[in-house]
């Protein structure tokens, strides 16, 4: 139904029927689906930075995405959930659905996501490794959409895996 990066944990919406698929695709196209992710990023994110609007261009040869004036319009909304000594836990909500959008927008602002093998920072990865992190800290936590058959508003929530929760506890203890 929609894509999440291979290393991202959490919710993946799947349609079993073609009619449901078309209905949900229309909701994504009309931007009525709300998606919320948690991301652990490097450094102190400024709470005043709530929206990143930066056009994204994908290199078709190596699939690397960069901010580029010739790219497609892209918007991600951010909210600080918790600040740590050298990291920030963010809620990220992509308004558009571009490839690697959250990962590139956080990097563009100077705050790459922990353990991002394409857009990350190795020093930050080494820092988070000390508290037990060894994977991309990007989690698809919530999705809100209208059920294709019943028209009921659906809100799906996926808890963070215990390993990610432990990382946050250890970061909190170092503050």
């Amino acid at each position: 139904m929609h894509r999440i990066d291979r290393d991202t944990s959490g919710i993946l919406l799947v349609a079993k029927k073609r009619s449901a698929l078309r209905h949900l695709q229309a909701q994504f196209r009309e931007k009525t689906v709300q998606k919320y992710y948690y991301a652990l990023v490097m450094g102190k994110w400024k709470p005043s930075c709530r929206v990143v609007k930066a056009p994204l261009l994908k290199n078709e040869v190596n699939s690397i995405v960069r901010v580029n004036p010739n790219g497609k319009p892209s918007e991600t909304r951010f909210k600080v959930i918790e600040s740590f000594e050298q990291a920030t836990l963010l809620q990220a909500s992509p308004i558009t659905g571009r490839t690697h959008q959250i990962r590139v927008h956080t990097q563009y602002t100077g705050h790459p996501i922990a353990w991002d093998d394409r857009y990350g920072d190795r020093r930050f990865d080494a820092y988070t490794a000390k508290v037990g992190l060894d994977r991309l800290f990007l989690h698809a936590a919530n999705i809100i959409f209208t059920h294709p058959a019943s028209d009921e508003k659906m809100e799906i929530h996926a808890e963070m895996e215990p390993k990610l929760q432990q990382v946050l506890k250890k970061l909190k203890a170092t503050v």
Side-chain angles (χ1 to χ4, degrees):
M1 183 56 257
H2 68 114
R3 304 171 322 249
I4 61 174
D5 296 337
R6 179 179 302 137
D7 297 329
T8 301
S9 59
I11 298 168
L12 181 63
L13 192 60
V14 178
K16 288 175 65 176
K17 294 182 179 177
R18 189 153 188 76
S19 58
L21 174 68
R22 282 196 296 270
H23 191 280
L24 290 165
Q25 284 174 329
Q27 290 181 58
F28 276 96
R29 227 182 357 267
E30 295 159 8
K31 297 180 180 23
T32 58
V33 175
Q34 297 169 275
K35 297 179 287 183
Y36 299 95
Y37 293 77
Y38 290 128
L40 184 69
V41 299
M42 182 175 80
K44 296 277 189 185
W45 185 280
K46 291 184 176 86
S48 60
C49 181
R50 294 189 179 133
V51 178
V52 174
K53 289 183 180 181
L56 299 179
L57 185 65
K58 183 177 179 182
N59 181 321
E60 296 303 326
V61 175
N62 62 12
S63 296
I64 297 290
V65 179
R66 296 281 182 228
V67 171
N68 185 304
N70 298 320
K72 293 181 179 179
S74 305
E75 179 179 344
T76 309
R77 296 185 181 155
F78 294 98
K79 178 181 170 185
V80 172
I81 302 299
E82 192 166 0
S83 292
F84 305 101
E85 189 177 319
Q86 296 181 42
T88 306
L89 179 65
L90 295 176
Q91 179 188 69
S93 180
I95 304 305
T96 50
R98 310 285 180 227
T99 301
H100 301 169
Q101 178 175 320
I102 296 169
R103 295 165 63 189
V104 176
H105 278 174
T106 55
Q107 179 209 35
Y108 175 69
T109 62
H111 301 278
I113 297 174
W115 287 79
D116 189 331
D117 61 350
R118 287 185 189 227
Y119 310 104
D121 182 287
R122 299 294 161 245
R123 294 164 304 166
F124 184 53
D125 296 348
Y127 168 76
T128 57
K130 293 175 188 171
V131 290
L133 190 61
D134 62 0
R135 57 157 287 221
L136 178 69
F137 199 122
L138 184 59
H139 177 73
N142 289 72
I143 189 164
I144 302 168
F145 61 96
T146 302
H147 191 280
S150 69
D151 270 347
E152 179 184 354
K153 186 175 182 177
M154 305 293 296
E155 183 169 354
I156 311 298
H157 176 75
E159 286 290 322
M160 252 188 258
E161 67 178 274
K163 183 181 219 171
L164 297 182
Q165 292 178 17
Q166 279 300 114
V167 165
L168 295 175
K169 280 182 184 174
K170 289 179 181 176
L171 285 172
K172 198 179 294 191
T174 62
V175 174

